[in-house]
Amino acid sequence: MAKLVLAGKANCPYYAKAELLADYLQANLPDFSVHKITQHPDEWEQWLHDTCETNGWQHRQSPMIWRELLDRGGKGLLLGGVNDFLEYVEHYYGITSTMLSEEMLEIAEENLQTHVEIEKEDEEIRSLIEPLQIWITSASAPICSQLIPLLADGEVFGMTTEISIHLLDLDQFKEVLCGIVMDAEDMAFPLLRSISEHTEIDEAFNQADIIIVLDDVLLNCEVQSLENYTREVGEICRVYAPLIEKNAKSEVRVISSGKTFVNLKAMMIMTYGPSIKPENVIAIATPWESAAKAMLARKLNMNAAGVKDVIVWGNITGCNYIDLSHAKLYGYDCAVWGPANFPRPLLNMLYDSEWIHSEFLSAKSSLSSRVCHCVGMLPAHAVATVLRYWYHGSPPGEIVSVGIISKGQFCLPEGIVFSMPVRFQNGNWEIMTELEINETTQEVLGHLAHELIQEKLIALKEIKEMHSYADDKITCEKKVQEGICCEQHSFKSKTFRTVS
């Protein structure tokens, strides 16, 4: 079988002559195939140079015609230009072309117009396939390097959804960000359209579909008070939230993750960004879920994947409660067996209540230590899992814990970000209010809510003080301009002196 490749400028009359002759041969010969490559006149010279350099050919005009060696592999056999092609066809098939110059020019003009239209159509199609824009803050954190492969392999958003990742951090971490970018590019993920680093805060969250907030504060209670840490979290969110409102898409989804104040970060982003939809801001509790399931599985000598419906209540990175009252076991090796989807209540299988209260639920348990000292793999997997559920739904009937804004469910106070059980479906989440809560759990939830209310009051106090400080400063400056007062005003740690 003969396969010829015809390449040339879209407006070349000699390419048009060769093209019509090749079409005739393909229509009338059973073992003759033609592949055509047209290039815009502005791009032809560069394309010709690159192709000849790759194949070791020498050719300077349009068209360029070669034969593909289908039965032997390797590079094709260069025939040459239009005259060489005409001689080849006449020698092998006894056919020649009688096309006139006027006809050649007319077809060449049509070829150029068709080429331009096809290019425009392809560009429009490409513009419709927009990648998901994902922004990651504090991207120099170890979790980020673990998270990128999970986002880019197609399991989270689907095998047909391309993504663009934007890494945001301080200028001092620029080298780290560049290293992450190079690693991701070298891995050549087919769904990763682009990845870039950003250190200018003004360009943050541009056209963002998803924002993953990884910012943490370093806790040292001997040096700073809770108020100072709360102020630091508030300052971060006070910068981020207006930029999210200004630059991100209206349906942007914000995920708060990290080791400290994940509930507070979510709440402060909603507070400073009132136009951000509250249902689109969540805090990740999955690391606690996963670590709890693994610890229970080790105790029961089973696979952790068989432990389901462990609920994390409260302040995810503060005081929380791991609720086992709805937890189930699948595939547990015991006296009673059933099909793969046959569940057993965990508390009916785990009889060691002393271990549950002294080692599993205690504040100094190994569970807390494992979550607090994880290096990145666990929280990265947690973020990827929640995103996959958010876009494609969680497993039917399975409970997922996330921190969301409370609207009074489970008798909780309104207006705090509280970790509670939800299900994901159809791109949204809904709280599983049908779950029964016993009196003991309800009492615990009340204590957890009190801690989050106190945290919120401290944060709101800081906001009020900052607004008061700003208002006083404006009033003072106005009086200076009017020459009214001559006194010293002290605002927090800064002093402003007016001069008449």
Side-chain angles (χ1 to χ4, degrees):
M1 178 177 180
K3 180 179 179 180
L4 292 185
V5 180
L6 274 66
K9 291 190 293 185
N11 64 342
C12 175
Y14 300 105
Y15 173 82
K17 185 174 185 176
E19 178 189 23
L20 259 66
L21 179 57
D23 287 343
Y24 176 83
L25 294 173
Q26 181 171 249
N28 291 275
L29 297 176
D31 295 323
F32 192 95
S33 174
V34 179
H35 177 66
K36 305 172 189 176
I37 301 174
T38 57
Q39 295 291 327
H40 193 278
D42 297 338
E43 301 171 355
W44 166 254
E45 294 296 336
Q46 185 61 49
W47 183 90
L48 178 64
H49 174 270
D50 293 342
T51 304
C52 289
E53 187 174 19
T54 301
N55 292 281
W57 297 336
Q58 288 190 358
H59 191 82
R60 297 182 179 180
Q61 297 177 344
S62 172
M64 181 172 68
I65 304 168
W66 68 91
R67 180 181 175 184
E68 293 284 359
L69 305 178
L70 299 177
D71 55 340
R72 293 163 53 186
K75 66 179 182 179
L77 176 65
L78 179 65
L79 299 181
V82 64
N83 291 332
D84 301 299
F85 177 57
L86 293 175
E87 291 178 7
Y88 172 83
V89 172
E90 186 174 7
H91 176 73
Y92 278 94
Y93 306 107
I95 300 172
T96 186
S97 173
T98 58
M99 184 181 293
L100 300 176
S101 298
E102 292 180 0
E103 191 177 359
M104 290 165 54
L105 292 170
E106 184 179 344
I107 294 176
E109 185 178 347
E110 291 178 359
N111 280 345
L112 178 59
Q113 184 178 352
T114 302
H115 179 82
V116 171
E117 291 176 355
I118 291 174
E119 280 195 332
K120 183 178 179 181
E121 185 178 303
D122 289 343
E123 186 177 348
E124 290 176 353
I125 292 174
R126 286 194 296 268
S127 68
L128 293 175
I129 309 174
E130 294 184 1
L132 277 176
Q133 303 292 332
I134 303 173
W135 283 78
I136 304 175
T137 71
S138 284
S140 62
I143 175 180
C144 185
S145 297
Q146 304 280 352
L147 179 59
I148 290 172
L150 299 177
L151 298 178
D153 69 357
E155 292 295 326
V156 174
F157 304 108
M159 300 304 296
T160 59
T161 302
E162 292 188 340
I163 64 172
S164 289
I165 297 178
H166 306 267
L167 308 179
L168 177 67
D169 214 321
L170 301 176
D171 189 61
Q172 67 193 74
F173 298 110
K174 186 174 180 64
E175 287 190 14
V176 178
L177 299 185
C178 290
I180 297 173
V181 168
M182 286 191 292
D183 284 348
E185 289 175 341
D186 290 345
M187 295 177 75
F189 295 105
L191 297 176
L192 182 59
R193 176 83 68 87
S194 64
I195 181 168
S196 56
E197 77 281 351
H198 304 266
T199 55
E200 297 294 332
I201 191 64
D202 291 339
E203 64 187 28
F205 313 130
N206 185 38
Q207 294 298 303
D209 293 290
I210 299 167
I211 298 172
I212 302 170
V213 181
L214 301 181
D215 299 73
D216 272 322
V217 295
L218 299 176
L219 297 180
N220 188 344
C221 295
E222 296 179 359
V223 178
Q224 294 192 60
S225 64
L226 176 62
E227 288 80 3
N228 289 332
Y229 289 124
T230 303
R231 183 183 299 114
E232 189 173 342
V233 173
E235 284 295 318
I236 294 170
C237 298
R238 189 167 67 90
V239 173
Y240 285 168
L243 288 170
I244 295 173
E245 289 184 302
K246 177 184 176 183
N247 297 336
K249 294 179 181 177
S250 59
E251 296 293 330
V252 63
R253 301 180 181 188
V254 182
I255 287 183
S256 173
S257 183
K259 297 181 180 180
T260 58
F261 298 105
V262 295
N263 293 57
L264 183 61
K265 284 187 292 186
M267 191 203 74
M268 297 297 279
I269 286 173
M270 297 181 209
T271 302
Y272 284 120
S275 68
I276 302 171
K277 295 183 177 181
E279 63 270 19
N280 283 1
V281 182
I282 64 175
I284 297 293
T286 316
W288 283 91
E289 270 189 27
S290 300
K293 291 174 182 177
M295 190 172 178
L296 291 165
R298 285 191 297 273
K299 177 68 175 177
L300 294 165
N301 193 27
M302 64 174 294
N303 190 332
V307 184
K308 305 288 185 182
D309 299 344
V310 174
I311 303 175
V312 180
W313 296 95
N315 192 352
I316 296 165
T317 50
C319 290
N320 57 46
Y321 173 57
I322 309 298
D323 183 4
L324 303 181
S325 61
H326 299 276
K328 303 179 185 65
L329 304 178
Y330 293 84
Y332 179 55
D333 187 6
C334 63
V336 179
W337 275 86
N341 60 348
F342 176 68
R344 299 169 181 79
L346 181 143
L347 293 178
N348 289 355
M349 301 292 107
L350 184 58
Y351 304 103
D352 195 345
S353 59
E354 182 179 349
W355 176 87
I356 293 175
H357 292 92
S358 63
E359 296 188 37
F360 182 74
L361 296 179
S362 67
K364 297 182 180 180
S365 68
S366 60
L367 173 62
S368 177
S369 177
R370 291 178 70 88
V371 175
C372 293
H373 293 91
C374 58
V375 294
M377 189 181 300
L378 176 59
H381 181 265
V383 171
T385 299
V386 170
L387 276 173
R388 185 174 73 251
Y389 290 167
W390 208 345
Y391 275 82
H392 300 292
S394 53
E398 192 168 319
I399 297 173
V400 183
S401 301
V402 294
I404 52 178
I405 193 72
S406 169
K407 296 184 178 180
Q409 300 90 345
F410 302 109
C411 300
L412 293 169
E414 295 185 20
I416 58 173
V417 173
F418 199 92
S419 179
M420 59 183 82
V422 305
R423 67 171 66 88
F424 289 91
Q425 58 185 14
N426 301 322
N428 299 302
W429 51 261
E430 61 177 8
I431 301 172
M432 302 179 70
T433 53
E434 70 274 13
L435 293 180
E436 296 183 3
I437 306 299
N438 57 41
E439 292 183 4
T440 303
T441 300
Q442 193 67 64
E443 184 178 353
V444 172
L445 298 189
H447 292 300
L448 297 177
H450 178 74
E451 182 199 51
L452 283 168
I453 290 172
Q454 295 303 311
E455 197 175 80
K456 178 180 178 179
L457 290 175
I458 293 171
L460 294 177
K461 179 183 176 183
E462 295 297 332
I463 295 173
K464 186 177 181 180
E465 287 180 357
M466 284 189 292
H467 281 300
S468 176
Y469 162 62
D471 292 342
D472 288 346
K473 181 180 177 182
I474 292 171
T475 302
C476 179
E477 290 174 347
K478 184 177 180 181
K479 288 183 178 180
V480 171
Q481 293 172 359
E482 296 175 352
I484 295 176
C485 66
C486 179
E487 59 183 65
Q488 182 172 306
H489 295 270
S490 177
F491 306 114
K492 294 178 76 87
S493 62
K494 296 184 179 180
T495 302
F496 299 83
R497 185 183 297 275
T498 61
V499 181
S500 58

